[in-house]
Structures are given as structure tokens and as C-alpha cells.
Amino acid sequence: MPILWLFLIVLAIAAAGYVIGRSRAVASVGGDHRKMHSLASFYGSNVAIKVFVPAFLFTIAWLLVQPIVVNATVSDMIPEAAIADNSSRGLVMAEVRRIADGLDSAVAAGGMSADFARTPQTDLDDVTQRIKDAGGVVTSDITAPVLNAAQRYRAMNGTGNFIMSGLAILIALGGAWWGIRESHADFRARNTVETSIRALLIGAASIAILTTLGIVLSLIFNTIEFFRLYPAADFFFGTNWAPSFSGRGGSSDLGVLPLLWGTFYISIVALAVAVPIGLFAAIYLSEYASKRVRSVAKPLLEVLAGIPTIVYGLFALLTVGPLLLEIFGKDGLGWMQAGTAVMTAGLVMGIMLIPFVSSLSDDIINAVPQALRDGSYGLGATQSETIKQVVLPAALPGIVGAILLAASRAIGETMIVVLGAGAAARLSLNPFEAMTTVTAKIVSQLTGDADFASPEALVAFALGMTLFVITLALNVLALYIVRKYREQYE
Amino acid sequence: MMKDNADERIGVDAMDIKFAAKDVQVYYADNHAIKDVSVDILDKTVTAFIGPSGCGKSTFLRSLNRMNDTIPICRVEGDIRLDGQDINAPEVDPVQLRAKVGMVFQKPNPFPKSIYDNVAYGPRIHGLARGKAELDEIVEKSLRRAAIWDEVKDRLDAAGTGLSGGQQQRLCIARAVATEPEVLLMDEPCSALDPIATAQVEELIDELRQSYSVIIVTHSMQQAARVSQKTAFFHLGNLVEYGDTTDIFTNPRDTRTESYITGRIG
């Protein structure tokens, strides 16, 4: 029975339960709605929730467990001999699943009867042909053990689905019976529904948190795996980044310091561009600009935030890099070898961060009470004195928070670095040299033919984890600063 | 007591006009908020502006130090003279004017700085002190005049925002006094304060009268009667009546004034 049908049946039971529960509650007081604890619809909803939620949760749980059980059982059926030398159990199992799907579609297309698909067959070519006729994909010739396994796979899944549907419907009916029994005027259906709504909201919030947790866990396991293959001290304190691409382990130098240095150097250049420009733009917009200018300029500035970073990367590669090379390159001051450099990526990243800083700071400056400005003007201060000495100090915690958020954004940026800063990992003070960052190296370690058992690939997870910890610390610090000083002026 | 006091002041300073306003109109966009107000405000006198909410008394007060300039939609017409000088004349710098005409606001608004820096704000901006010692002196003198010195002298480095409401308002008065203004405008300075803090601020206003012309906007008629020598009653943007406080409260000439002070309107 397809899941859709099961869903519709449970929905029908829920709808029926709603109507019955509602009318039973109304009947219990002889139709006088005022004597009921809750509105009539709450009694109906109570039954519907009790039908739907347990059945739904049960189905999800079953669907998660069934494939694991079926795969394990079927996989044990395949004899060692049936697995070719250049193959593996996993590949054979994939073939089994394909053939099972093929049998399904052959039965659905009328190419064979359900009985034919179920019983053991000797004429394997015939079976192969029938599956192919039905549009199924068969890569190699079907062998007897594989066909057996596929048939077993189908049978187990079929029984499993059947049992699941039956149980789910039973659970739904049980829920209906439970809810309908409760439907009396005295029952506090409204409170029960309220609880369910709270559970729903908690569930939504938990999914977000659990996802974060899942991401961290997936990083942690691979990071631990990496540190088993590569010494942690060499990773954290190594000053050389030279992964070998041919050899396996041992010959690679995977020191994170050049990458962290590149990350921070580029971020600092970016912040040196974004913070003054963004802050001054915010001050102009919130304090000096007329309403009309503000209504046009602010959205325009925020358009910058909507540009995909790969476009910024192109801007760095095609415009900023050559421009800098003209001034600082061989024909100019001679400090720069190529267009890709810390300066190129930093400048462009700074432009990307301007709307971040300006938009957040603008909101924060606007939140400074007008009374403070009036107080300053009333003492004979000019506008810029007022801003410098009263408005900015009052807004400072929020502005620092905005800058830290921009910093964590800069640290996590990838595309601009890939296109603008080059790929060479080096420890250098010259901002016109090519450097690279943690994120860019994660990309290069994992793209292409990555073998997830080698330290060269696993190092990406350790890099990701390092970055995650750094940006997390920055975000926590930003939130802490913003929260600590915020209540003071409200 | 009040009568004697007022008579004495009028006797001494009757000719000493600080602010002379003539036919002042104030508009908020299309809203005509102040209509044809003409009033002469005396030096070394407390003048109270009373009237129901929205009658324009605060608006008029704010046009005396051109604070209305900071509101884009606000427009002031007419002639306002401070010591004979038209304050809306192009050669008058509103920033300099505000240094001469200090202002205390309805809600205490200390800056997010230390108590010391709050008071030193004006003197620093206007370069009134020639050194640290002189600045210290100004700060102490101002805090003493605002009757808050004894409460804060041990914690001048503490944040001004950490004081109680009454202390904050007195700090704001000290801040206004520190720039040595000639006139002090107070926009309902006690509306956010409890009775004890109100009494302290009122006492302070009486002392400030020795050196300044003080103009106070208030909703409390008792307060106007207690602290002022002159009272102006505003209603719907008009100046209905202006005269000695005792006359306004005991013998109002206009029926609207009488209705207001006896509680029938407003």
C-alpha cells in the first residue's frame, strides 16, 4: 500500500474523529454550548490530534528502521562467492535494489504476473528481458543469488509495508477511540490542544538546534579520524602547508598556521575597508540624510548585500586585481607579482561587508533616544560633536557587535578568496602577495578525487572545525557585548 | 510671602527684559501650533508657562533657543529678541545661542558617560576651562548649584545613567548650568520625578533665579504658583494671559484662565 494511501486513510479517520468527538461533546450537554469547558471545535481537534500524531510518528519511525533491517537480512543472504573480485558487497546490494525496483516496474507494466515475480525463476535471460522491457535498469547479467536476494528484498519490503500500514491504521483508530471517549463537556480540550501546539513549536525549534548539533557531530568524527592519522601538534603549530597529491600520508605538511594567517590578514584588510566606510555611511544615513535621500540610499546600499559572492569574486579577478597590478605591479611600484593578492581579496571583501556594517549600525544609531541628542543640542553642541561624543558612545556596544558579526562573515568567506587571493599558502607580511585562507583550502582539499581515508582529505574537516570554533567564539562574543550594554539606554 | 517676593522682584527688575517675543508663529507642516504670541520675559525671574496638553507651551519654549530647528517640518515666524538681538537673524549661530540659553528636558537624559563627563560636556565643547583644575572647579560648582554635589562627590567616575531619576534630573540641571547660560529653559522638569525630588528641584529653581532668567513649562498649577513670579497661560496655541503669578491665580482676567486654574478645562 503506497504511503499516500495510508496518509489519506489516517486523515479520513482523523476527520471522522473530529466530527464524532465534536458532536459527542455537544451531545453530552444537550446542545448547550455554554456548559462546555471549551469551544466545540477543540473537542474535535483533540480527537484529530490523537488520531494523527501517534500514527504519523509511528510511520516515520518504521520507515527509518525498515530499510536497515531489510538491508541487513538480504545482505546476509548473498554468499561470498556471488561477489565478484572487482566488486564489493555494497555494489551487489545496489544491484539487488535495482533489480527489485525493476521487478516492481515490470509487474506494474504487465510484463510479468505478481506470482512470476515472487517465485524463483531459472530462465534468467527471460527475467532480464522482461525487466528491460518495463524500463528497468539492469547493468550486468542477473545471477541466481542476486535474483533470489532481490525477490527476498521485495517480499520483505512488501510485508513490512503491509504490517506498517495495518499497525498505523490500528494506532489511528486507537487514538480516535481514546479521544472520542474523552469528549465530554468537562474535559479540558482547549488546554490539551494548547499543549499540542506548544509541542509543535518546540519541535520546530529543536530541529534547528539539532541540525546545528548534527553538523558539529559530523565534523567532530572526521576531525578525530584526522588527528588519528596526523599529529595534532603538527596541524596546529605547523608553519608549512604542502599537501602531497600523489603519496598517501606521511609526506604531506598540513600546518594550519599559514592558512589562519591568510584568513586573518584578508579579514583585517576587509574590515579596514568596511568598518570606516560602513560606519560613516550609517552615520550619514541616520543623522544627516533627509528622509527622501534615506529612503533611496538605504535600499541601494543593501543591494550590495544581495550580490552573490561569486560575482564579487569575478569583480576581484577581472577589475580590482588588474587595477592594483597597474599601480603596484612591475610597471608601477613593483610590489605586486600578480593580480591575485591579499589586497585584492581584502578590498573586494570589504566592499561586500559595507552593507553589513552600515545597515546594522544604522539601526543601532537610530535606536539611540532622541532625548540624548536634544540634551546635547540644548547645551550648544554641533551635530558632529553630538554624534561623536553622545550618539556613538551610546551606540558603541551595538556597533562593536555589528563589526564582530561582519568579521565572522569575513572569516567564513570563500569565493572571493578563491578568485581574488590566489591559492598559495604562505606566511608573509606583504599584502600584495598571494595567500589563501582556511575556507579556500577546504574547497581545494575536497574537490576532485577525494579519498576520505587519507589525511589530505580529512584535514578539511579539521580546518572546518577550527573555523567553526573561531566564528562561534566571535558570534558569542558579539552577542555578549550587545546584550551586556543594551538595556542601559532603554 | 509669594506676593511679597514677586512684588520685590518686579520692583527691582521691571525694566530688565531678557526675551522679547513679538507676533511669534510656529507651524508643524500645516499645523499652526503657536499663534501671534507676544511676551516679554524678565531677567532674574522665574516665568511659568501653564496650559492644557497640546496648547503649544513646550513648542514656544523650544523656539526660544531654536531647538525647533532640529525638527525638519517645524517653521518659526515672528520676532524673538534676546537682549535686543534677533535670535533668528542669519548672523546668529543657533549653537552659540543654545550655549547662552540652556535647556533641561522633561525626561532626565544624562549622557552615557560618567557624572563628571556629563557636567564637563558643555565646558569642554565651548572651551570654558583652561585646564584640568579649572574644569574640576566648574564641575564641582555646577554640581553644588544643582544640589547634588554631596550625593555624587565620591563617585564622579560612575555612570550618570546609574543615578536615580531625581538625581539624574539634577545632574542634567548641573550640566545645563555648567555652560554658564543666561537663560535656563525647563520643559516640565519634574514630571518624571517623585514629590521629594520635585521639592529639591523646585528649591533649586528658586536659587537659580539669583543669576538667571528661568522659564519653566509645567502641568502642575501648584508648582507654577510655588516657584514662579510671572505666569503665562497658553490655550490652543494662543497666549491667553500673562502677568504676575499671584494675579493669574487669584484674579485672572480671562474666563479661560479662570476655567483652567479652577480645573474646568484642560
Side-chain angles (χ1 to χ4, degrees):
Chain A
M1 188 183 304
I3 297 290
L4 178 66
W5 275 103
L6 178 63
F7 179 76
L8 289 178
I9 289 171
V10 172
L11 211 60
I13 297 173
Y18 179 93
V19 174
I20 297 170
R22 187 181 188 284
S23 53
R24 240 181 85 98
V26 173
S28 71
V29 286
D32 185 356
H33 285 259
R34 278 172 303 176
K35 286 189 187 150
M36 290 167 28
H37 172 270
S38 317
L39 292 176
S41 61
F42 283 113
Y43 293 94
S45 304
N46 173 45
V47 179
I49 288 166
K50 279 175 175 151
V51 169
F52 198 77
V53 173
F56 178 70
L57 291 179
F58 168 79
T59 312
I60 298 246
W62 186 282
L63 286 176
L64 286 177
V65 173
Q66 179 177 307
I68 300 172
V69 174
V70 171
N71 267 339
T73 320
V74 173
S75 168
D76 285 347
M77 275 179 60
I78 301 169
E80 209 60 49
I83 300 168
D85 284 343
N86 57 354
S87 182
S88 72
R89 194 168 282 273
L91 288 176
V92 176
M93 276 307 294
E95 182 71 16
V96 167
R97 277 192 290 272
R98 262 199 301 276
I99 292 169
D101 286 346
L103 289 171
D104 280 342
S105 43
V107 172
M112 59 177 83
S113 68
D115 276 340
F116 181 87
R118 211 176 292 131
T119 47
Q121 300 294 329
T122 45
D123 188 359
L124 293 173
D125 292 340
D126 177 39
V127 175
T128 311
Q129 195 50 49
R130 286 181 192 226
I131 291 175
K132 277 183 178 161
D133 288 347
V137 182
V138 180
T139 46
S140 54
D141 284 338
I142 298 176
T143 57
V146 169
L147 182 61
N148 277 341
Q151 283 173 331
R152 181 67 195 275
Y153 182 88
R154 275 192 77 220
M156 281 188 74
N157 266 341
T159 343
N161 285 343
F162 184 74
I163 296 171
M164 178 190 75
S165 306
L167 284 177
I169 290 167
L170 275 183
I171 288 170
L173 288 173
W177 181 72
W178 178 25
I180 289 168
R181 250 179 58 116
E182 282 179 335
S183 299
H184 274 284
D186 295 338
F187 178 64
R188 300 182 181 184
R190 194 175 172 209
N191 307 29
T192 316
V193 172
E194 191 65 31
T195 312
S196 322
I197 286 173
R198 197 174 64 184
L200 176 77
L201 298 180
I202 290 174
S206 325
I207 286 175
I209 294 166
L210 288 177
T211 313
T212 316
L213 216 64
I215 291 173
V216 174
L217 282 179
S218 72
L219 279 178
I220 281 181
F221 285 121
N222 285 304
T223 306
I224 292 171
E225 184 64 30
F226 168 72
F227 285 131
R228 215 173 275 151
L229 296 171
Y230 193 85
D234 289 1
F235 173 72
F236 285 116
F237 302 111
T239 54
N240 192 23
W241 176 268
S244 85
F245 292 101
S246 49
R248 284 274 169 254
S251 54
S252 294
D253 276 338
L254 300 172
V256 75
L257 284 181
L259 304 186
L260 280 182
W261 170 246
T263 303
F264 285 119
Y265 206 175
I266 293 174
S267 301
I268 284 166
V269 173
L271 288 177
V273 172
V275 169
I277 296 180
L279 198 55
F280 292 163
I283 290 171
Y284 171 72
L285 283 180
S286 60
E287 298 286 321
Y288 289 89
S290 69
K291 252 194 184 138
R292 261 188 42 220
V293 173
R294 190 181 144 85
S295 67
V296 176
K298 202 176 178 204
L300 273 182
L301 198 59
E302 279 163 3
V303 163
L304 274 181
I307 299 175
T309 57
I310 185 76
V311 176
Y312 281 109
L314 292 177
F315 179 59
L317 188 68
L318 298 177
T319 313
V320 178
L323 202 72
L324 286 176
L325 197 59
E326 217 162 272
I327 303 167
F328 299 104
K330 257 181 270 168
D331 303 333
L333 294 165
W335 298 340
M336 208 169 171
Q337 304 302 320
T340 51
V342 167
M343 215 56 187
T344 316
L347 284 177
V348 174
M349 205 189 279
I351 293 166
M352 180 195 81
L353 292 177
I354 287 172
F356 251 83
V357 177
S358 75
S359 194
L360 284 170
S361 305
D362 179 56
D363 292 344
I364 292 155
I365 290 172
N366 269 327
V368 172
Q370 182 62 30
L372 287 184
R373 295 187 185 92
D374 283 348
S376 177
Y377 294 145
L379 290 170
T382 61
Q383 202 166 4
S384 73
E385 282 165 349
T386 301
I387 291 164
K388 198 175 74 190
Q389 304 200 29
V390 175
V391 176
L392 284 186
L396 192 65
I399 292 172
V400 170
I403 291 170
L404 287 180
L405 286 180
S408 68
R409 180 81 205 262
I411 290 171
E413 177 50 43
T414 313
M415 287 327 296
I416 294 174
V417 178
V418 169
L419 294 177
R426 63 162 72 91
L427 279 165
S428 163
L429 278 173
N430 183 357
F432 296 102
E433 263 187 83
M435 282 185 210
T436 193
T437 65
V438 176
T439 48
K441 276 301 154 197
I442 293 179
V443 173
S444 67
Q445 290 310 106
L446 288 186
T447 41
D449 202 8
D451 174 4
F452 278 87
S454 71
E456 282 79 12
L458 284 171
V459 71
F461 296 99
L463 290 175
M465 198 71 206
T466 314
L467 209 55
F468 179 81
V469 170
I470 291 170
T471 48
L472 187 72
L474 271 180
N475 282 349
V476 168
L477 184 69
L479 283 179
Y480 171 78
I481 290 175
V482 170
R483 272 203 201 134
K484 186 173 173 203
Y485 296 99
R486 186 165 43 190
E487 60 261 274
Q488 213 173 328
Y489 312 111
E490 283 171 347
Chain B
M1 161 77 183
M2 177 64 80
K3 189 161 174 54
D4 292 346
N5 201 349
D7 281 347
E8 181 195 358
R9 302 243 49 95
I10 301 304
V12 171
D13 300 313
M15 302 313 289
D16 205 353
I17 294 169
K18 196 71 189 168
F19 261 118
K22 213 163 173 305
D23 298 330
V24 175
Q25 323 279 343
V26 181
Y27 303 86
Y28 287 114
D30 295 333
N31 179 15
H32 197 170
I34 291 285
K35 298 160 191 156
D36 298 322
V37 170
S38 300
V39 63
D40 290 338
I41 286 162
L42 304 179
D43 198 9
K44 305 212 190 316
T45 305
V46 178
T47 307
F49 288 178
I50 60 170
S53 292
C55 67
K57 52 195 189 304
S58 290
T59 302
F60 184 67
L61 188 78
R62 288 168 64 92
S63 55
L64 293 180
N65 69 343
R66 292 183 61 179
M67 276 300 278
N68 284 332
D69 290 13
T70 61
I71 303 169
I73 57 165
C74 188
R75 195 155 47 84
V76 180
E77 288 172 7
D79 187 57
I80 304 174
R81 287 174 186 278
L82 173 65
D83 292 329
Q85 164 71 49
D86 180 5
I87 63 166
N88 289 310
E91 70 270 20
V92 171
D93 179 4
V95 170
Q96 289 303 322
L97 172 71
R98 288 179 203 139
K100 268 199 270 182
V101 184
M103 189 158 188
V104 175
F105 296 84
Q106 182 172 359
K107 226 180 115 211
N109 56 352
F111 301 138
K113 297 168 175 290
S114 71
I115 292 169
Y116 184 95
D117 288 340
N118 259 285
V119 181
Y121 185 81
R124 276 185 181 143
I125 285 178
H126 300 295
L128 299 182
R130 241 168 272 117
K132 173 83 173 113
E134 206 172 326
L135 191 61
D136 288 348
E137 206 176 295
I138 292 174
V139 168
E140 179 177 343
K141 199 176 84 189
S142 308
L143 287 169
R144 277 189 194 283
R145 300 196 66 173
I148 194 181
W149 171 253
D150 290 333
E151 289 158 68
V152 300
K153 64 182 174 196
D154 300 325
R155 46 175 176 146
L156 291 175
D157 291 334
T161 44
L163 297 171
S164 74
Q167 288 174 326
Q168 287 190 7
Q169 191 62 303
R170 278 179 286 152
L171 175 63
C172 291
I173 293 172
R175 193 173 70 185
V177 167
T179 42
E180 299 283 340
E182 297 167 18
V183 183
L184 200 55
L185 310 177
M186 300 180 125
D187 190 356
E188 299 182 40
C190 300
S191 66
L193 304 184
D194 66 31
I196 294 171
T198 302
Q200 287 168 329
V201 171
E202 283 180 7
E203 202 175 317
L204 182 58
I205 291 170
D206 206 47
E207 276 168 35
L208 295 175
R209 178 161 61 92
Q210 311 301 327
S211 0
Y212 310 115
S213 170
V214 178
I215 305 172
I216 175 171
V217 165
T218 178
H219 264 129
S220 155
M221 281 171 283
Q222 288 86 346
Q223 184 172 58
R226 278 195 303 266
V227 301
S228 72
Q229 288 79 50
K230 288 279 194 180
T231 296
F233 172 63
F234 286 80
H235 188 242
L236 301 176
N238 295 302
L239 175 62
V240 174
E241 196 168 341
Y242 174 58
D244 288 349
T245 300
T246 39
D247 290 345
I248 296 270
F249 280 97
T250 56
N251 190 19
R253 273 165 295 161
D254 197 285
T255 50
R256 283 172 293 177
T257 316
E258 191 186 353
S259 300
Y260 181 70
I261 62 172
T262 52
R264 262 173 292 171
I265 58 168

